[in-house]
Protein backbone atom coordinates (compact mmCIF):
# COMPACT_ATOMS: atom_id res chain seq x y z
CA UNK A 1 0.00 0.00 0.00
CA UNK A 2 1.57 3.26 -1.06
CA UNK A 3 1.50 6.45 0.95
CA UNK A 4 -0.77 9.27 -0.22
CA UNK A 5 0.64 12.54 -1.39
CA UNK A 6 2.51 14.37 1.37
CA UNK A 7 0.92 17.34 3.09
CA UNK A 8 1.21 20.42 0.84
CA UNK A 9 3.69 23.06 1.89
CA UNK A 10 2.24 26.02 3.73
CA UNK A 11 1.53 29.13 1.69
CA UNK A 12 1.16 31.43 4.71
CA UNK A 13 3.63 32.35 7.43
CA UNK A 14 3.63 29.72 10.20
CA UNK A 15 2.02 30.62 13.51
CA UNK A 16 4.89 28.82 15.25
CA UNK A 17 8.24 27.96 13.68
CA UNK A 18 10.81 25.90 15.58
CA UNK A 19 14.32 25.72 14.15
CA UNK A 20 17.12 23.41 15.33
CA UNK A 21 15.97 23.55 18.94
CA UNK A 22 18.12 21.92 21.65
CA UNK A 23 17.79 21.59 25.39
CA UNK A 24 20.76 20.00 27.10
CA UNK A 25 21.06 19.59 30.85
CA UNK A 26 24.49 19.20 32.42
CA UNK A 27 27.99 20.70 32.53
CA UNK A 28 28.97 22.84 29.53
CA UNK A 29 25.63 22.05 27.91
CA UNK A 30 26.11 24.77 25.31
CA UNK A 31 29.03 22.86 23.76
CA UNK A 32 26.92 19.83 22.81
CA UNK A 33 24.81 21.13 19.86
CA UNK A 34 26.81 20.96 16.66
CA UNK A 35 29.61 18.90 18.19
CA UNK A 36 30.55 15.25 17.64
CA UNK A 37 28.77 14.50 20.93
CA UNK A 38 25.46 15.52 19.36
CA UNK A 39 25.17 12.20 17.53
CA UNK A 40 25.81 10.01 20.57
CA UNK A 41 23.07 7.87 22.04
CA UNK A 42 21.59 9.15 25.33
CA UNK A 43 23.59 6.61 27.32
CA UNK A 44 26.83 7.45 25.50
CA UNK A 45 26.28 11.18 25.87
CA UNK A 46 25.67 10.81 29.60
CA UNK A 47 28.74 8.62 30.05
CA UNK A 48 31.07 10.86 27.99
CA UNK A 49 29.92 14.32 29.07
CA UNK A 50 27.58 14.00 32.04
CA UNK A 51 24.88 15.70 29.94
CA UNK A 52 21.34 14.76 29.01
CA UNK A 53 19.90 16.06 25.73
CA UNK A 54 16.16 16.31 26.41
CA UNK A 55 15.47 18.00 23.05
CA UNK A 56 17.74 17.25 20.09
CA UNK A 57 17.79 19.44 16.98
CA UNK A 58 14.00 19.68 16.62
CA UNK A 59 12.47 21.67 13.75
CA UNK A 60 8.84 22.03 12.62
CA UNK A 61 6.22 24.60 11.63
CA UNK A 62 2.66 24.98 12.91
CA UNK A 63 0.19 26.53 10.49
CA UNK A 64 -2.32 29.18 11.63
CA UNK A 65 -5.45 27.48 12.94
CA UNK A 66 -3.80 24.04 13.11
CA UNK A 67 -4.01 21.61 16.02
CA UNK A 68 -0.44 20.30 16.19
CA UNK A 69 0.11 17.40 18.60
CA UNK A 70 3.45 16.31 20.04
CA UNK A 71 3.38 12.87 21.61
CA UNK A 72 5.76 10.32 23.03
CA UNK A 73 6.43 8.17 26.05
CA UNK A 74 7.59 9.56 29.38
CA UNK A 75 11.12 10.93 28.96
CA UNK A 76 10.81 11.46 25.21
CA UNK A 77 11.27 15.22 25.59
CA UNK A 78 7.79 16.42 24.65
CA UNK A 79 7.09 18.47 27.78
CA UNK A 80 10.58 19.94 27.76
CA UNK A 81 9.99 20.91 24.14
CA UNK A 82 6.83 22.92 24.86
CA UNK A 83 8.51 24.59 27.83
CA UNK A 84 11.42 25.60 25.58
CA UNK A 85 9.03 26.91 22.93
CA UNK A 86 7.32 29.13 25.51
CA UNK A 87 10.64 29.85 27.27
CA UNK A 88 9.45 28.60 30.62
CA UNK A 89 12.89 27.02 30.43
CA UNK A 90 15.66 28.43 28.27
CA UNK A 91 16.68 26.45 25.17
CA UNK A 92 20.35 25.57 24.85
CA UNK A 93 20.36 26.36 21.12
CA UNK A 94 17.97 27.08 18.26
CA UNK A 95 15.20 29.54 17.52
CA UNK A 96 11.46 29.78 18.04
CA UNK A 97 9.35 32.20 16.02
CA UNK A 98 5.79 33.11 17.01
CA UNK A 99 3.97 34.90 14.18
CA UNK A 100 7.36 35.96 12.88
CA UNK A 101 8.71 37.28 16.21
CA UNK A 102 11.88 35.54 17.39
CA UNK A 103 10.87 34.38 20.85
CA UNK A 104 14.39 33.11 21.54
CA UNK A 105 15.77 36.66 21.25
CA UNK A 106 12.97 38.39 23.19
CA UNK A 107 13.94 40.26 26.35
CA UNK A 108 11.89 39.94 29.54
CA UNK A 109 9.59 42.83 28.64
CA UNK A 110 8.86 41.44 25.17
CA UNK A 111 8.38 37.95 26.59
CA UNK A 112 5.82 39.21 29.12
CA UNK A 113 3.97 41.03 26.35
CA UNK A 114 3.84 37.89 24.20
CA UNK A 115 2.63 35.71 27.08
CA UNK A 116 -0.07 38.19 28.05
CA UNK A 117 -1.38 38.89 24.56
CA UNK A 118 -0.21 36.39 21.93
CA UNK A 119 -0.19 32.94 23.50
CA UNK A 120 -1.44 31.11 26.57
CA UNK A 121 -0.68 27.85 28.32
CA UNK A 122 -2.83 25.10 29.86
CA UNK A 123 -1.18 22.53 32.11
CA UNK A 124 -2.07 19.25 33.81
CA UNK A 125 -2.08 21.02 37.17
CA UNK A 126 -4.69 23.72 36.97
CA UNK A 127 -2.96 26.26 39.24
CA UNK A 128 -6.26 27.85 40.25
CA UNK A 129 -6.24 30.39 43.07
CA UNK A 130 -8.18 28.67 45.88
CA UNK A 131 -9.35 31.91 47.52
CA UNK A 132 -10.83 33.29 44.29
CA UNK A 133 -14.16 32.39 42.77
CA UNK A 134 -14.42 30.99 39.25
CA UNK A 135 -15.04 34.34 37.58
CA UNK A 136 -12.08 35.95 39.32
CA UNK A 137 -9.81 33.00 38.46
CA UNK A 138 -10.76 33.31 34.82
CA UNK A 139 -10.18 37.07 34.88
CA UNK A 140 -6.83 36.85 36.69
CA UNK A 141 -4.65 37.06 33.58
CA UNK A 142 -6.58 40.10 32.41
CA UNK A 143 -6.07 41.70 35.81
CA UNK A 144 -2.32 41.10 35.56
CA UNK A 145 -2.41 42.59 32.06
CA UNK A 146 -3.95 45.77 33.49
CA UNK A 147 -7.47 45.52 32.06
CA UNK A 148 -10.17 47.44 33.95
CA UNK A 149 -12.38 45.52 36.35
CA UNK A 150 -15.61 45.90 34.39
CA UNK A 151 -14.09 44.85 31.06
CA UNK A 152 -12.18 41.89 32.49
CA UNK A 153 -15.19 40.54 34.36
CA UNK A 154 -17.35 40.93 31.25
CA UNK A 155 -14.78 39.03 29.19
CA UNK A 156 -14.47 36.37 31.91
CA UNK A 157 -18.23 35.89 31.85
CA UNK A 158 -18.11 35.38 28.07
CA UNK A 159 -15.54 32.59 28.25
CA UNK A 160 -17.16 30.98 31.31
CA UNK A 161 -20.26 30.58 29.15
CA UNK A 162 -18.14 29.41 26.21
CA UNK A 163 -16.69 26.49 28.21
CA UNK A 164 -20.03 25.52 29.71
CA UNK A 165 -19.60 26.78 33.28
CA UNK A 166 -22.58 29.13 33.44
CA UNK A 167 -24.05 29.04 36.94
CA UNK A 168 -20.71 28.31 38.62
CA UNK A 169 -19.24 31.82 38.37
CA UNK A 170 -19.32 32.30 42.15
CA UNK A 171 -18.07 28.84 43.12
CA UNK A 172 -14.64 28.29 44.61
CA UNK A 173 -12.27 25.77 42.98
CA UNK A 174 -12.65 23.20 45.79
CA UNK A 175 -16.39 23.12 45.12
CA UNK A 176 -15.82 21.89 41.55
CA UNK A 177 -15.01 18.49 40.07
CA UNK A 178 -11.66 17.88 38.40
CA UNK A 179 -13.16 18.24 34.95
CA UNK A 180 -14.85 21.52 35.90
CA UNK A 181 -11.61 22.84 37.37
CA UNK A 182 -9.89 22.06 34.08
CA UNK A 183 -12.61 24.00 32.28
CA UNK A 184 -11.77 26.97 34.50
CA UNK A 185 -8.12 26.61 33.47
CA UNK A 186 -9.17 26.46 29.83
CA UNK A 187 -11.39 29.52 30.24
CA UNK A 188 -8.54 31.43 31.88
CA UNK A 189 -6.29 30.60 28.92
CA UNK A 190 -8.96 31.76 26.47
CA UNK A 191 -9.82 34.96 28.31
CA UNK A 192 -6.92 36.95 26.89
CA UNK A 193 -7.95 35.97 23.35
CA UNK A 194 -4.52 34.54 22.49
CA UNK A 195 -3.53 33.67 18.95
CA UNK A 196 -1.87 30.42 20.05
CA UNK A 197 -2.65 27.99 22.88
CA UNK A 198 -0.14 25.52 24.31
CA UNK A 199 -1.42 22.46 26.20
CA UNK A 200 0.94 20.27 28.24
CA UNK A 201 -0.87 16.98 29.00
CA UNK A 202 -3.81 18.93 30.42
CA UNK A 203 -6.19 15.97 30.77
CA UNK A 204 -3.88 13.13 31.81
CA UNK A 205 -4.98 13.22 35.47
CA UNK A 206 -8.70 13.09 34.62
CA UNK A 207 -10.93 10.03 34.60
CA UNK A 208 -11.46 8.53 31.11
CA UNK A 209 -15.02 9.79 30.64
CA UNK A 210 -14.15 13.29 31.86
CA UNK A 211 -11.04 13.24 29.70
CA UNK A 212 -13.06 12.43 26.60
CA UNK A 213 -15.48 15.21 27.48
CA UNK A 214 -12.59 17.68 27.72
CA UNK A 215 -11.28 16.49 24.34
CA UNK A 216 -14.74 17.17 22.94
CA UNK A 217 -14.54 20.62 24.51
CA UNK A 218 -11.19 21.38 22.85
CA UNK A 219 -12.52 20.23 19.48
CA UNK A 220 -15.65 22.32 19.89
CA UNK A 221 -13.70 25.41 20.93
CA UNK A 222 -11.26 24.94 18.09
CA UNK A 223 -14.16 24.76 15.66
CA UNK A 224 -15.84 27.84 17.15
CA UNK A 225 -12.87 30.14 17.79
CA UNK A 226 -10.24 28.67 15.42
CA UNK A 227 -7.20 29.04 17.67
CA UNK A 228 -3.83 27.60 16.74
CA UNK A 229 -3.10 24.85 19.26
CA UNK A 230 0.03 22.93 20.21
CA UNK A 231 -1.01 19.94 22.30
CA UNK A 232 1.34 17.65 24.26
CA UNK A 233 0.19 14.12 25.18
CA UNK A 234 1.46 10.59 25.77
CA UNK A 235 -1.86 9.10 24.62
CA UNK A 236 -2.00 8.12 20.93
CA UNK A 237 -5.80 7.89 20.90
CA UNK A 238 -5.96 11.46 22.17
CA UNK A 239 -3.39 12.56 19.59
CA UNK A 240 -5.28 10.92 16.72
CA UNK A 241 -8.55 12.42 17.87
CA UNK A 242 -7.30 15.99 18.26
CA UNK A 243 -4.40 16.44 15.88
CA UNK A 244 -4.39 17.78 12.34
CA UNK A 245 -0.74 16.64 12.37
CA UNK A 246 1.20 14.67 14.95
CA UNK A 247 4.91 14.65 15.79
CA UNK A 248 6.11 11.51 17.59
CA UNK A 249 9.19 12.01 19.77
CA UNK A 250 11.78 9.55 21.03
CA UNK A 251 14.96 10.38 22.94
CA UNK A 252 14.51 14.08 22.27
CA UNK A 253 14.07 13.78 18.49
CA UNK A 254 11.04 13.77 16.22
CA UNK A 255 10.98 10.34 14.58
CA UNK A 256 7.89 10.98 12.45
CA UNK A 257 5.67 13.96 11.69
CA UNK A 258 2.50 13.65 9.66
CA UNK A 259 -1.26 13.43 9.52
CA UNK A 260 -2.92 10.79 11.70
CA UNK A 261 -3.55 8.57 8.66
CA UNK A 262 0.13 8.82 7.64
CA UNK A 263 1.32 7.63 11.05
CA UNK A 264 -1.10 4.68 11.06
CA UNK A 265 -0.80 3.82 7.37
CA UNK A 266 2.95 4.31 6.89
CA UNK A 267 4.82 4.26 10.20
CA UNK A 268 8.41 5.47 9.79
CA UNK A 269 9.97 2.73 11.91
CA UNK A 270 9.23 -0.05 14.38
CA UNK A 271 8.89 2.46 17.23
CA UNK A 272 6.00 4.26 15.49
CA UNK A 273 4.55 0.94 14.32
CA UNK A 274 4.41 -0.26 17.93
CA UNK A 275 2.57 2.93 18.91
CA UNK A 276 -0.06 2.49 16.22
CA UNK A 277 -0.39 -1.31 16.25
CA UNK A 278 -3.65 -1.42 18.23
CA UNK A 279 -5.36 1.46 16.44
CA UNK A 280 -8.19 0.22 14.14
CA UNK A 281 -7.01 1.25 10.68
CA UNK A 282 -10.56 1.74 9.43
CA UNK A 283 -11.03 4.46 12.09
CA UNK A 284 -8.07 6.53 10.87
CA UNK A 285 -7.22 5.71 7.26
CA UNK A 286 -9.09 7.50 4.47
CA UNK A 287 -10.20 6.60 0.99
CA UNK A 288 -6.80 7.72 -0.32
CA UNK A 289 -5.23 4.65 1.27
CA UNK A 290 -7.44 2.03 -0.36
CA UNK A 291 -8.51 3.55 -3.66
CA UNK A 292 -7.22 1.84 -6.80
CA UNK A 293 -7.01 2.56 -10.49
CA UNK A 294 -10.03 2.07 -12.73
CA UNK A 295 -10.10 -1.30 -14.49
CA UNK A 296 -11.20 -1.50 -18.14
CA UNK A 297 -14.96 -1.80 -18.46
CA UNK A 298 -15.75 -1.05 -14.81
CA UNK A 299 -18.99 0.81 -14.15
CA UNK A 300 -18.55 4.44 -13.11
CA UNK A 301 -22.01 5.09 -11.73
CA UNK A 302 -21.27 4.27 -8.07
CA UNK A 303 -21.49 6.77 -5.20
CA UNK A 304 -19.08 9.70 -5.22
CA UNK A 305 -16.87 9.97 -2.11
CA UNK A 306 -14.15 12.34 -0.94
CA UNK A 307 -10.59 11.00 -0.76
CA UNK A 308 -10.47 12.38 2.81
CA UNK A 309 -13.46 10.35 4.01
CA UNK A 310 -12.51 7.98 6.84
CA UNK A 311 -12.95 4.32 5.85
CA UNK A 312 -15.49 3.43 8.54
CA UNK A 313 -17.72 6.29 7.40
CA UNK A 314 -17.77 4.86 3.87
CA UNK A 315 -19.22 1.47 4.83
CA UNK A 316 -22.90 2.33 4.17
CA UNK A 317 -22.53 3.97 0.74
CA UNK A 318 -20.06 1.36 -0.55
CA UNK A 319 -21.86 -1.76 0.67
CA UNK A 320 -25.24 -0.50 -0.55
CA UNK A 321 -24.02 -0.01 -4.13
CA UNK A 322 -23.40 -2.67 -6.77
CA UNK A 323 -20.86 -0.38 -8.49
CA UNK A 324 -17.54 0.74 -6.98
CA UNK A 325 -17.47 4.10 -5.22
CA UNK A 326 -15.83 6.89 -7.22
CA UNK A 327 -13.18 8.82 -5.27
CA UNK A 328 -13.41 12.37 -6.57
CA UNK A 329 -11.76 15.65 -5.66
CA UNK A 330 -12.31 18.98 -7.44
CA UNK A 331 -14.18 17.15 -10.18
CA UNK A 332 -11.29 14.78 -10.89
CA UNK A 333 -11.69 11.01 -10.62
CA UNK A 334 -8.78 9.76 -8.50
CA UNK A 335 -9.72 6.09 -8.21
CA UNK A 336 -12.30 3.51 -7.18
CA UNK A 337 -13.11 1.58 -4.02
CA UNK A 338 -15.37 -1.49 -4.03
CA UNK A 339 -16.66 -3.84 -1.35
CA UNK A 340 -13.62 -6.12 -1.50
CA UNK A 341 -11.23 -3.19 -1.03
CA UNK A 342 -13.25 -2.03 1.95
CA UNK A 343 -13.68 -5.43 3.58
CA UNK A 344 -9.97 -6.21 3.32
CA UNK A 345 -9.15 -3.17 5.48
CA UNK A 346 -11.95 -3.83 7.97
CA UNK A 347 -10.82 -7.45 8.34
CA UNK A 348 -7.26 -6.29 8.87
CA UNK A 349 -8.43 -3.87 11.58
CA UNK A 350 -10.36 -6.63 13.34
CA UNK A 351 -7.31 -8.91 13.35
CA UNK A 352 -5.17 -5.89 14.38
Amino acid sequence: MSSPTATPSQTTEPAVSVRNLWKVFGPKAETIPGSAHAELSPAELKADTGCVAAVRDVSFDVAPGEVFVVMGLSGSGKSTLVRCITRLIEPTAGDVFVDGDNLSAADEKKLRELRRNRFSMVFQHFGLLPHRRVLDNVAYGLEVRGDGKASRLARAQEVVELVGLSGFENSFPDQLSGGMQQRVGLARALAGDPDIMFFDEPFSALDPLIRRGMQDEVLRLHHEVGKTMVFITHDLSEALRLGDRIAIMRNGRIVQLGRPDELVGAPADDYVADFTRDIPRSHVLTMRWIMRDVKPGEPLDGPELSPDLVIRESIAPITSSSAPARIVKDGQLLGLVDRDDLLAVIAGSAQG
Side-chain angles (χ1 to χ4, degrees):
M1 184 181 292
S2 61
S3 171
T5 304
T7 303
S9 59
Q10 298 169 1
T11 57
T12 57
E13 182 176 293
V16 179
S17 184
V18 177
R19 289 291 172 266
N20 308 112
L21 197 68
W22 285 81
K23 180 58 185 178
V24 182
F25 297 96
K28 299 182 179 179
E30 69 281 357
T31 66
I32 301 301
S35 72
H37 290 121
E39 299 306 317
L40 296 177
S41 70
E44 291 170 332
L45 181 64
K46 179 68 173 175
D48 283 9
T49 68
C51 291
V52 174
V55 176
R56 290 174 169 248
D57 198 22
V58 167
S59 298
F60 60 85
D61 291 334
V62 181
E66 181 178 23
V67 180
F68 186 92
V69 176
V70 182
M71 69 156 299
L73 299 177
S74 178
S76 63
K78 58 189 185 299
S79 289
T80 302
L81 173 63
V82 76
R83 282 167 165 77
C84 285
I85 294 173
T86 55
R87 277 188 60 191
L88 291 176
I89 59 176
E90 292 294 332
T92 305
D95 292 294
V96 176
F97 298 88
V98 174
D99 290 331
D101 285 330
N102 190 343
L103 197 63
S104 306
D107 59 20
E108 287 299 318
K109 181 179 179 181
K110 179 66 173 179
L111 192 56
R112 283 195 300 271
E113 185 272 326
L114 289 169
R115 286 174 176 166
R116 289 174 180 175
N117 299 292
R118 302 280 288 283
F119 64 85
S120 62
M121 294 162 279
V122 183
F123 299 99
Q124 176 181 340
H125 303 291
F126 319 131
L128 303 182
L129 301 171
H131 62 288
R132 290 192 173 214
R133 299 178 189 273
V134 165
L135 201 64
D136 294 317
N137 263 286
V138 173
Y140 180 70
L142 303 178
E143 180 181 344
V144 170
R145 194 167 72 181
D147 291 13
K149 184 175 181 178
S151 64
R152 69 175 182 255
L153 290 180
R155 173 59 181 165
Q157 184 64 48
E158 288 179 10
V159 292
V160 161
E161 294 171 2
L162 187 64
V163 301
L165 284 175
S166 296
F168 294 92
E169 294 89 343
N170 294 315
S171 299
F172 288 98
D174 63 2
Q175 297 174 316
L176 304 177
S177 67
M180 293 173 74
Q181 289 181 34
Q182 190 60 285
R183 285 173 185 260
V184 178
L186 185 57
R188 184 174 57 191
L190 283 165
D193 196 23
D195 299 318
I196 304 162
M197 300 183 70
F198 294 94
F199 297 81
D200 187 10
E201 300 205 61
F203 311 143
S204 60
L206 302 178
D207 293 336
L209 286 178
I210 298 175
R211 181 172 187 158
R212 186 170 180 85
M214 288 304 302
Q215 292 168 6
D216 290 338
E217 194 67 19
V218 167
L219 290 170
R220 181 181 70 82
L221 289 172
H222 181 255
H223 176 73
E224 290 185 7
V225 299
K227 300 297 183 185
T228 303
M229 297 180 176
V230 178
F231 198 99
I232 308 299
T233 183
H234 65 271
D235 185 328
L236 180 62
S237 295
E238 184 167 77
L240 293 172
R241 189 156 190 256
L242 297 179
D244 295 315
R245 288 188 301 149
I246 301 167
I248 296 185
M249 292 189 71
R250 182 186 189 189
N251 293 333
R253 297 187 185 275
I254 292 178
V255 295
Q256 186 168 1
L257 194 166
R259 301 187 309 266
D261 61 308
E262 291 173 328
L263 268 60
V264 173
D269 57 19
D270 290 343
Y271 181 74
V272 180
D274 284 342
F275 258 117
T276 61
R277 191 180 311 279
D278 295 328
I279 299 296
R281 294 164 68 83
S282 62
H283 290 202
V284 180
L285 298 187
T286 62
M287 294 290 97
R288 294 180 186 275
W289 291 89
I290 61 172
M291 66 184 184
R292 55 172 175 76
D293 293 337
V294 180
K295 299 174 184 176
E298 276 194 290
L300 298 178
D301 56 349
E304 180 179 310
L305 302 178
S306 165
D308 298 315
L309 183 69
V310 175
I311 290 172
R312 68 172 175 172
E313 296 174 0
S314 73
I315 293 174
I318 290 178
T319 56
S320 62
S321 172
S322 59
R326 294 172 295 123
I327 311 305
V328 177
K329 184 170 185 178
D330 298 329
Q332 180 182 359
L333 178 62
L334 303 180
L336 300 179
V337 175
D338 61 24
R339 295 181 188 181
D340 291 341
D341 303 319
L342 180 68
L343 293 174
V345 177
I346 295 174
S349 293
Q351 294 168 4

